[in-house]
């Protein structure tokens, strides 16, 4: 409850500052926006006792890629935004309508898609993806499409694989166990140390989207199982 109150104070103030700095170039503006992520991670650590550690950081490449991450919490979005180079998150356009959060998110250079567009959504992703690469961003995708409860899994969609193939870049797989400490929803947070594991980049060259998706899923889900519940 304290952490929710903390967020309720920090978010509107930060959103107003972000909107006031709309004129900044994309990457500096993104850097400023992710200060909100840092404040939330600090609050989670100080109020809820949620700490973190990273393994496999040496696997982060020097060149742009598509990041495919397990989605079981809000924590991973906040943490990746601070750990990795500037990220353009692929998200449903409805998020832009969320008060305060949506205002800031829209200025963070996301790739927003209309999920009712069907096959055209992939074309939208590829076009925006090329533009974001040119602007200095990497691309982050949650292959499951929605947050899953810790200890469960959902069918992986082929969007991350198709995007990597279309753009000719590798996929960086990321697993973690944050869902046990910071589950979906406002309540249920508990203290502990989240582990984020970064795998070796997966080459997309000459691969079928389904086969590449299966490879991404195998690594992430095996690693999530290996990490288990946080201590």
């Amino acid at each position: 409850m304290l952490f929710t109150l903390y967020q309720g104070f920090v978010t509107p103030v930060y959103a107003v500052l972000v909107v006031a700095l709309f004129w900044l170039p994309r990457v500096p503006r993104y850097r400023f926006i992710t200060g909100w992520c840092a404040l939330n991670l600090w609050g989670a650590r100080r109020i809820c006792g949620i700490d973190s550690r990273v393994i496999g950081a040496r696997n982060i490449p020097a060149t742009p890629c598509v990041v495919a991450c397990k989605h079981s919490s809000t924590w991973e979005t906040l943490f990746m935004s601070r750990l990795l180079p500037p990220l353009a998150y692929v998200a449903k356009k409805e998020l832009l309508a969320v008060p305060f959060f949506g205002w800031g998110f829209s200025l963070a250079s996301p790739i927003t898609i209309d999920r009712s567009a069907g096959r055209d959504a992939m074309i939208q992703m590829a076009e925006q993806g090329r533009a974001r690469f040119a602007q200095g961003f990497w691309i982050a995708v949650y292959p499951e499409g929605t947050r899953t409860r810790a200890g469960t899994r959902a069918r992986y969609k082929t969007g991350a694989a198709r995007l990597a193939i279309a753009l000719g870049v590798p996929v960086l797989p990321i697993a973690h166990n944050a869902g046990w400490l910071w589950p979906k929803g406002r309540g249920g947070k508990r203290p502990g140390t989240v582990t984020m594991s970064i795998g070796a980049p997966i080459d997309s060259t000459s691969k079928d989207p389904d086969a590449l998706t299966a490879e991404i899923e195998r690594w992430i889900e095996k690693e999530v199982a290996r990490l288990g519940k946080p201590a």
Side-chain angles (χ1 to χ4, degrees):
M1 189 178 294
L2 272 175
F3 181 69
T4 299
L5 291 172
Y6 171 78
Q7 285 185 307
F9 172 76
V10 168
T11 301
V13 173
Y14 213 92
V16 171
L17 292 174
V18 168
V19 171
L21 294 173
F22 72 93
W23 49 269
L24 285 174
R26 285 182 182 270
V27 171
R29 189 172 65 205
Y30 174 90
R31 299 288 191 194
F32 180 79
I33 289 170
T34 58
W36 176 82
C37 300
L39 286 172
N40 276 272
L41 292 168
W42 180 87
R45 185 170 62 252
R46 300 292 294 180
I47 298 170
C48 304
I50 300 175
D51 214 329
S52 61
R53 72 183 186 108
V54 178
I55 57 177
R58 65 185 182 281
N59 289 321
I60 300 174
T63 54
C65 63
V66 171
V67 177
C69 181
K70 180 71 176 178
H71 197 23
S72 62
S73 176
T74 299
W75 179 90
E76 65 267 14
T77 301
L78 301 174
F79 195 79
M80 286 197 304
S81 297
R82 299 295 293 178
L83 175 68
L84 298 175
L87 295 173
Y89 286 89
V90 175
K92 56 188 178 182
K93 68 177 185 179
E94 291 87 346
L95 283 177
L96 303 183
V98 177
F100 299 113
F101 172 83
W103 306 346
F105 186 55
S106 66
L107 290 171
S109 300
I111 294 175
T112 54
I113 57 173
D114 181 355
R115 293 190 295 182
S116 66
R119 295 180 67 178
D120 287 343
M122 190 62 237
I123 297 174
Q124 295 173 24
M125 285 174 61
E127 289 177 348
Q128 293 182 65
R130 290 188 183 91
R132 294 294 179 264
F133 274 168
Q135 292 158 357
F137 290 83
W138 292 12
I139 300 169
V141 183
Y142 294 119
E144 294 158 295
T146 187
R147 279 178 291 180
T148 57
R149 185 168 52 85
T152 67
R153 57 194 292 179
R155 183 178 66 86
Y156 278 46
K157 298 174 175 61
T158 60
R162 292 181 185 277
L163 191 57
I165 292 168
L167 299 176
V169 297
V171 176
L172 184 68
I174 295 181
H176 61 85
N177 53 10
W180 296 105
L181 303 182
W182 186 330
K184 181 178 180 179
R186 292 185 180 275
K189 296 178 182 63
R190 68 180 186 86
T193 299
V194 176
T195 299
M196 174 170 279
S197 178
I198 303 171
I202 301 172
D203 187 17
S204 67
T205 306
S206 303
K207 288 185 179 176
D208 172 81
D210 291 326
L212 180 55
T213 299
E215 190 175 351
I216 295 166
E217 181 175 4
R218 278 195 301 272
W219 189 89
I220 291 177
E221 293 300 329
K222 182 178 180 181
E223 186 66 1
V224 167
R226 188 187 71 81
L227 293 175
K229 293 183 180 181

